[in-house]
Amino acid sequence: MLKPKMTPTRELVNLDGTWLFGIDSRLGDEPWRGALRTPLEAAVPASYNDLFVDDEIRSHVGWVYYQRRVQVPRGWSEERILLRFDAATHAARVYVDDALVGEHVGGYTPFAVDITEHVSAGTAFRLTIGVSGDLTNETIPPGKIEVGMTGKRVQTYFHDFYNYAGLARSVWMCTTPRSRIEDVVVSTDFDGTVGSVTYAVDVEGEGAVRVVLRDEEGAVVASSSGASGVLTVPDVTLWKPGAAYLYDLAVELHDADRVVDAYSLPVGVRTVEVRGTQFLINGEPFYFTGFGKHEDAPVRGKGHDDAYLVHDFQLMEWIGANSFRTSHYPYAEEVLEFADRHGVVVIDETAAVGLNMGVVGGMSGTPPFPTFSEQYANAATQAAHAQHLRELVTRDRNHPSVVMWCIANEPASNEDGAREYFEPLVQLARELDPTRPLSYALVMFATFQNDQIIDLFDVVCMNRYYGWYVASGDLATAEAYLTGDIRGWIERTGKPIMMTEYGADTMEGLHSVHTQVWTEEYQRDYLAMNHRVFDRFPEFVGEQIWNFADFATTNAIHRVGGNKKGVFTRDRRPKSVAFDLRARWTGLEGRKPGTGTTEQGGR
Ligand code: GCB
């Protein structure tokens, strides 16, 4: 689905602001059938949980309702009119006045609802959206809802970040012409100095397609007609990590000489390839430095915020990070657009986090019952996962910054049933996008001896906490474990290996002259040990620390005010280790530490 934007043939009204808000238990039956009877207003975009001083709202299980009035511009009588929700976490029902006009499941991908038949140009309507943050074993991510001792429904889930819910991204009302450009898919390549952009335009209705590719100065470099084709770009300027370059692909739908629809998108010409143990961008070995992140901030929860967007990217640049993983769900499209414009490399992850009953077993990793079973990750879960993957890839496949898909975080890939569960998803991902490598982030219980699915994937992405959850406070033992673990994966797979999570909880301001967990010194020593080990393996292609910043978690007793593995605090102040990382990472330009200079990053 194309992101709505203003074009010569399309219009857009932003519906962000404060909306009437209430939780279902306080609103009565069918609350959309009139004005919501509530004193509360919620900010959009924002998760609703932390906005109010009210625990019942914060931990509400069930539906909440947002409502506002919307005026349809009077010039829209001939247009197709849509509502577009950039995200409703995790399920949504959309009502125009009394009518249910659309539904969606999946909390981090956008959806649109055609309301042309329900509204009239020049009039106003009541827009109500029900949003549910509930997680069950048939949602992605999965969770469990039980009726507790008090008779209340209690939500549990198998990931540590707080289950923020609501309208965390923008809401739009927009138009498209009736005959229209429905979708555009591009892929790119180059040979020497000549680039190529392969495009395919999906058209709904009548019209002939024309495309024009312009460079950053606005000069036409290629053009073509027809719904699909290949554009040749002489003297191509490649999109490179640290040196973004974006062409503009203007797509027009014509009826004779009349432009029926127009849409344009940025295109970065670059290639991605896994060859042997190398991860290549534009044919050059690339070394990932950076973080697993979260969309997380005080008050707004997972609400998208351009100020945090800009500041987080500034901090990443300052520290020398060239990449991040969208752990553990697709991020706002604005984040990927920003990464495209600033040459930051992204591993794009689905929200499939917690497909692992082993984590319930604690450090033993023994599942109380099999993960891949009727009881938990069953055919319905897999279908939800497939739908989620489809929506992620179709949303993000045109972003040059996205170099790899991560189809799950820490699934029980060591358990029976993992192969049957993942094989069709891998096949689907490869059909949706044959150009990008695939990965999943490996849980520590999945070892090079017992993992059952790594051969289906291209890159070994390890999440490992030696020196934290294992061998806590004992970095010598941790170093031995880590070394053996990496060596085992190298010997088993012959694939590129990277660390997608390693980290130590650190209380800012806590210091000690002794080796003590939670101190700022321990975080520094812990990371230094990891880096020493990584640098010994030529097959190692990257390091993404857990986590960029401290983030909110559930009320777990082993978390003090959230997960503190951030290199920055939740309000983005650096812990001591940030300066070590800056010394290690700046100037690398995508090369492995200690391996000299490179052209990667130059234009
Ligand atoms: C993990 C998870 C991540 C957690 C992290 C931790 O393995 O992938 O979501 O936050 O460990 O800090 O425990």
Side-chain angles (χ1 to χ4, degrees):
M1 180 203 312
L2 294 172
K3 185 166 186 260
K5 59 164 95 159
M6 284 290 255
T7 80
T9 58
R10 294 168 176 232
E11 288 179 31
L12 191 61
V13 173
N14 181 268
L15 300 180
D16 295 350
T18 53
W19 296 43
L20 286 175
F21 176 86
I23 56 176
D24 56 2
S25 49
R26 294 183 192 170
L27 290 173
D29 291 344
E30 304 195 328
W32 58 89
R33 290 190 184 278
L36 289 191
R37 285 193 296 277
T38 173
L40 301 177
E41 294 184 41
V44 176
S47 306
Y48 64 77
N49 311 75
D50 290 352
L51 295 177
F52 309 101
V53 187
D54 189 328
D55 272 350
E56 197 183 339
I57 296 177
R58 183 165 204 267
S59 55
H60 181 65
V61 183
W63 292 85
V64 302
Y65 289 88
Y66 291 77
Q67 191 180 72
R68 59 164 286 164
R69 284 196 76 71
V70 177
Q71 175 70 44
V72 185
R74 63 180 176 178
W76 284 13
S77 54
E78 296 307 310
E79 306 298 326
R80 180 169 167 260
I81 303 173
L82 304 161
L83 292 168
R84 211 263 193 176
F85 298 86
D86 288 355
T89 318
H90 294 282
R93 291 182 190 148
V94 183
Y95 304 87
V96 167
D97 295 324
D98 288 353
L100 175 68
V101 294
E103 293 181 73
H104 181 257
V105 178
Y108 304 99
T109 42
F111 64 99
V113 180
D114 185 338
I115 55 167
T116 319
E117 303 307 319
H118 298 273
V119 300
S120 311
T123 64
F125 66 92
R126 187 177 68 248
L127 172 60
T128 311
I129 168 152
V131 183
S132 162
D134 293 6
L135 298 175
T136 70
N137 74 324
E138 297 188 0
T139 61
I140 293 292
K144 187 167 74 179
I145 296 174
E146 287 163 309
V147 177
M149 303 271 283
T150 60
K152 275 184 64 176
R153 295 168 79 225
V154 179
Q155 172 81 67
T156 47
Y157 39 89
F158 311 101
H159 52 79
D160 74 339
F161 61 94
Y162 191 79
N163 182 37
Y164 281 113
L167 294 176
R169 298 179 191 158
S170 287
V171 181
W172 309 89
M173 179 171 60
C174 54
T175 68
T176 74
R178 299 197 184 230
S179 284
R180 60 188 180 272
I181 299 158
E182 190 62 22
D183 203 0
V184 183
V185 183
V186 296
S187 61
T188 62
D189 203 352
F190 70 97
D191 185 5
T193 58
V194 182
S196 61
V197 176
T198 303
Y199 72 91
V201 182
D202 179 14
V203 173
E204 188 66 44
E206 301 299 312
V209 173
R210 291 186 203 162
V211 298
V212 177
L213 192 71
R214 292 186 177 80
D215 66 17
E216 284 190 351
E217 274 67 53
V220 173
V221 295
S223 61
S224 181
S225 49
S228 60
V230 182
L231 299 167
T232 301
V233 191
D235 289 324
V236 67
T237 305
L238 298 178
W239 186 98
K240 293 180 176 180
Y245 189 93
L246 295 172
Y247 291 88
D248 176 78
L249 180 70
V251 183
E252 286 183 352
L253 190 65
H254 284 251
D255 175 5
D257 273 341
R258 196 170 65 90
V259 177
V260 181
D261 194 11
Y263 192 88
S264 67
L265 72 153
V267 174
V269 179
R270 58 107 186 91
T271 60
V272 179
E273 188 193 340
V274 167
R275 198 187 299 153
T277 57
Q278 292 185 317
F279 193 99
L280 306 175
I281 299 183
N282 299 332
E284 289 186 39
F286 179 71
Y287 192 84
F288 295 79
T289 57
F291 302 96
K293 281 185 100 263
H294 263 302
E295 292 187 313
D296 176 87
V299 184
R300 61 185 66 238
K302 297 208 170 303
H304 174 73
D305 180 293
D306 282 339
Y308 274 101
L309 167 70
V310 170
H311 193 57
D312 283 5
F313 274 75
Q314 280 285 300
L315 291 175
M316 287 195 280
E317 188 182 332
W318 171 82
I319 208 167
N322 61 17
S323 67
F324 63 93
R325 176 171 61 123
T326 70
S327 42
H328 293 311
Y329 37 81
Y331 290 1
E333 281 171 274
E334 289 83 349
V335 178
L336 298 177
E337 290 170 341
F338 203 88
D340 288 345
R341 291 197 298 274
H342 294 272
V344 177
V345 168
V346 178
I347 300 175
D348 207 356
E349 183 163 286
T350 72
V353 49
L355 289 169
N356 199 331
M357 275 299 119
V359 297
V360 179
M363 294 316 293
S364 76
T366 313
F369 52 84
T371 298
F372 302 101
S373 59
E374 218 23 68
Q375 234 172 317
Y376 191 56
N378 58 27
T381 326
Q382 191 191 35
H385 196 157
Q387 177 60 13
H388 195 91
L389 189 59
R390 211 173 277 121
E391 291 186 19
L392 169 70
V393 177
T394 51
R395 190 194 72 164
D396 290 351
R397 61 188 159 193
N398 291 331
H399 289 286
S401 57
V402 175
V403 300
M404 177 155 69
W405 306 110
C406 181
I407 75 174
N409 183 66
E410 302 194 344
S413 60
N414 51 315
E415 284 188 46
D416 287 346
R419 205 167 177 89
E420 290 74 10
Y421 182 93
F422 277 101
E423 216 161 13
L425 296 175
V426 168
Q427 196 182 336
L428 174 65
R430 296 211 191 273
E431 277 162 22
L432 291 166
D433 179 14
T435 73
R436 287 180 180 83
L438 283 186
S439 64
Y440 61 106
L442 271 152
V443 70
M444 66 172 171
F445 312 128
T447 66
F448 59 87
Q449 286 118 333
N450 67 17
D451 174 272
Q452 306 195 9
I453 60 171
I454 192 65
D455 58 297
L456 302 172
F457 294 81
D458 304 300
V459 178
V460 181
C461 291
M462 301 172 71
N463 292 359
R464 292 294 187 266
Y465 290 89
Y466 296 116
W468 188 255
Y469 294 121
V470 176
S472 323
D474 177 358
L475 291 175
T477 303
E479 184 163 348
Y481 272 131
L482 178 62
T483 306
D485 198 348
I486 294 175
R487 187 169 294 131
W489 282 102
I490 290 172
E491 284 166 7
R492 169 167 170 191
T493 66
K495 295 177 194 284
I497 300 197
M498 65 180 290
M499 199 62 81
T500 33
E501 281 185 29
Y502 60 115
D505 282 274
T506 303
M507 204 68 192
E508 49 157 342
L510 188 67
H511 296 281
S512 175
V513 291
H514 303 294
T515 299
Q516 224 158 52
V517 294
W518 289 91
T519 60
E520 296 205 23
E521 289 74 25
Y522 190 75
Q523 190 181 33
R524 298 178 64 182
D525 293 346
Y526 169 97
L527 292 187
M529 179 279 286
N530 273 269
H531 296 153
R532 204 159 52 233
V533 176
F534 301 167
D535 291 350
R536 289 187 198 126
F537 294 102
E539 298 83 354
F540 215 77
V541 299
E543 51 197 62
Q544 292 187 331
I545 290 167
W546 193 254
N547 188 285
F548 171 74
D550 294 346
F551 59 89
T553 58
T554 54
N555 272 334
I557 49 167
H558 60 295
R559 299 280 190 240
V560 185
N563 187 310
K564 299 284 191 199
K565 295 191 184 68
V567 167
F568 298 93
T569 60
R570 198 178 189 209
D571 59 357
R572 277 50 172 178
R573 281 173 293 110
K575 298 180 190 169
S576 307
V577 77
F579 300 91
D580 296 356
L581 287 169
R582 184 163 192 256
R584 177 173 166 84
W585 287 348
T586 47
L588 285 180
E589 297 180 333
R591 285 282 291 216
K592 198 170 166 62
T595 57
T597 54
T598 176
E599 304 206 334
Q600 187 86 276
R603 209 173 268 189

